Structure formats: structure tokens, C-alpha cells
Amino acid sequence: MRLDNESESQNVEDRRGGGFGGRTTIGIGTIVVALAASYFFGIDPRVIIQGSQMLQGQTQSQPQSAPNAAPANDPKAVFTRKVLGNIERTWETVFPQQLNRQYVPPKLVLFSGATPTACGTGQTAMGPFYCPGDSKVYIDLAFYDELQQRFGAGGDFAQAYVIAHEVGHHIQNLLGISEKFDEVRRRANEAQANALSVRLELQADCFAGVWANNAAKANQQLLEPGDIEQGLRAAAAIGDDRLQQQSQGRVVPESFTHGTSAQRVYWLRQGLQYGDVRKCDTFSAKQLS
């Protein structure tokens, strides 16, 4: 990808180095207060200490108090901000053209290890994710290395596809799709809920393709030879069937939540080919690949 002329998104919050989830230390003053409260008021001193730990953890989770925060202009962060900036500008054009609506961009949070979200504690092991409760995309940039080393799907467009997929979930939130999905899922059994989740994830893949199609039309220098193949390899690498085969040596289709490799590739191609949000209705599709 050629991002030299792309301006960076301003909707990025860098929490790396914030220390959330790490160990906290308790000062002697806190211990004295806890013992005094126990003696005079009969309060369990553990309550005071635990409260102090919680407050300390919350304070440390704020990015401005992080003394060891990663530099804001490290290459991975700059790349992420430029990709997100392009995604924002593309959807700001596509939304009124195709949907007669205004696009409202999400925030993207960079974190390391763990971080608080409106959807609970986000952790690196979860991979990149979107939280509809606070309209934020969360990513530990170490995932870029994992994409290359674990999944064999490196390259800048593969990384951009991951960001665009999570923004795809934000688009579902804006369009009310996520809310309807949650309503139906609450009435479904586990197998039905998993099947619905697959359709939700495949639609986000399709939206990622819609972004790439329209971004390439707006800037014909953006994509380089081999970029699309990188994205398709990434989509195939993180299919449920392939991941289950690698991790447990067998495939359990009824437990799929993101779709097979073939399905993910198909719907990313769908978006890439047509560049039209209306071609991404995975919920009405009789066949998913």
C-alpha cells in the first residue's frame, strides 16, 4: 500500500504502556488507614486495601499517566492512523452516496496487554475487536506480528483488512444491524446464535472489501500489485475451520462464529468486486459461499 500522501486519523487513542492489569503497590498510608478503620469502625481492612487497588488501577489505565507509553510516531502506529484516516474518508463518501446517511467514525484505541472497555476488559489474546458500547475499535499492534508469524498472512494490506473489518462492525452498529442481531440472538439457542454470529462477521468482511474497492477508485496509487492477494490470504488464514484444525486437530462446524476460510474469502471478494454496501446482505443470503 502507498500511504505516503494519506493524512492520519485524529480518532486514535494511545493507551500503550498504561499498566492496566499490571501489579499495583499499596503504600504504608493506605495500610494505616485500613487498620484504623478496622479498629474504630469495625471495617474489614481488606475492603480499604482492595478499594485503593481498584482506584490505583483505574488511574494507571489512563494514557496520560503512563510514564513508559510507546512513542506516538512508531511505524505501526503511524501506519494504523493512516489506514484509519483513509477508511474514514472513504466511508464519509460512500455513506451519503449509497445510503443517504452521514458517516460517524469510531475511535480506535491502541493498547498493550489489557485495557478497560464498555464491553469489559479487553485483552491482547482476544485479538482486535469492536465494542458497540463505546463505539471503539481496540487493537494491540502486536497482532500485526502474529498475523505474519502465526497465520502466515503478513503484509500491509492484510493489516489494513483487519482494521477495516473491525470498522465494518462499527458500520453495522451505525445501521442498526448490531442491535437487531442482539435481539434475535437473545432468543436463539447456542447453535443458532453461532450461525447468526457467522453472518455478522462475514458482513464485516464484505464491508472491508467495499472500503478497499472505493478507496482504490479514489486513489489509484493506493493499492500495489499483490495487495489484494494479501487480504484474501489473511481472510483465509483466520477462518474457523482452519483455526480449529490447527488448534485442536478437528473441525466442529456448529461452533463456528466467524465463518470458514472459503466463506470469509468469498464475502471479502464480494465487497472488493462490487464496492456496494447493498451487496453485503449476508443475513438474507441462502448460501454463504
Side-chain angles (χ1 to χ4, degrees):
M1 294 182 72
R2 295 180 180 176
L3 297 168
D4 294 343
N5 297 324
E6 294 291 332
S7 57
E8 300 177 15
S9 171
Q10 300 302 308
N11 293 310
V12 177
E13 178 185 348
D14 196 340
R15 298 183 187 172
R16 294 172 296 170
F20 181 83
R23 297 181 62 184
T24 58
T25 57
I26 300 300
I28 186 65
T30 300
I31 296 175
V32 171
V33 171
L35 292 176
S38 175
Y39 182 81
F40 289 107
F41 303 108
I43 299 175
D44 188 336
R46 290 175 297 179
V47 173
I48 305 297
I49 293 173
Q50 289 171 358
S52 175
Q53 288 176 323
M54 289 177 64
L55 288 172
Q56 189 174 16
Q58 290 171 359
T59 301
Q60 290 180 346
S61 72
Q62 299 302 315
Q64 61 268 27
S65 65
N68 300 314
N73 291 321
D74 56 289
K76 290 179 181 177
V78 172
F79 169 83
T80 301
R81 291 198 298 267
K82 286 193 171 189
V83 169
L84 185 64
N86 182 279
I87 292 173
E88 289 170 351
R89 289 184 292 277
T90 300
W91 283 113
E92 284 168 359
T93 299
V94 171
F95 255 56
Q97 286 181 346
Q98 297 186 9
L99 301 170
N100 196 30
R101 296 181 59 156
Q102 182 178 0
Y103 179 67
V104 180
K107 286 278 188 179
L108 185 146
V109 177
L110 306 178
F111 74 98
S112 297
T115 193
T117 85
C119 300
T121 300
Q123 299 181 344
T124 296
M126 298 163 60
F129 65 95
Y130 173 73
C131 175
D134 53 23
S135 298
K136 292 181 179 180
V137 171
Y138 292 85
I139 182 170
D140 185 330
L141 296 185
F143 183 77
Y144 292 158
D145 296 327
E146 186 176 14
L147 200 60
Q148 167 69 58
Q149 297 165 7
R150 178 184 172 189
F151 301 113
D156 49 10
F157 186 78
Q159 297 167 3
Y161 151 69
V162 170
I163 300 171
H165 171 92
E166 298 307 332
V167 174
H169 287 308
H170 176 66
I171 292 167
Q172 291 171 324
N173 196 25
L174 293 178
L175 297 179
I177 296 170
S178 300
E179 183 178 3
K180 292 179 181 178
F181 165 80
D182 288 336
E183 290 175 359
V184 175
R185 185 177 59 175
R186 282 194 290 268
R187 301 192 299 268
N189 59 37
E190 183 177 358
Q192 292 170 334
N194 288 343
L196 285 169
S197 179
V198 166
R199 292 180 182 267
L200 190 77
E201 295 294 337
L202 294 179
Q203 186 177 60
D205 280 335
C206 187
F207 287 161
V210 171
W211 156 71
N213 174 292
N214 287 276
K217 288 178 181 177
N219 179 3
Q220 296 183 0
Q221 305 300 315
L222 180 67
L223 299 185
E224 299 177 295
D227 278 348
I228 297 299
E229 288 71 21
Q230 288 179 7
L232 295 174
R233 280 198 300 272
I238 53 180
D240 284 326
D241 52 343
R242 184 172 298 187
L243 293 178
Q244 287 188 358
Q245 186 64 46
Q246 291 173 348
S247 63
Q248 60 192 32
R250 62 191 181 95
V251 175
V252 185
E254 59 270 22
S255 68
F256 289 172
T257 57
H258 285 66
T260 67
S261 294
Q263 289 170 340
R264 301 201 70 166
V265 168
Y266 175 85
W267 284 100
L268 177 57
R269 281 189 185 277
Q270 183 84 347
L272 285 165
Q273 179 179 351
Y274 294 103
D276 190 336
V277 173
R278 292 159 293 193
K279 295 289 186 179
C280 296
D281 187 1
T282 55
F283 291 94
S284 297
K286 294 182 180 179
Q287 297 293 328
L288 292 177
S289 63

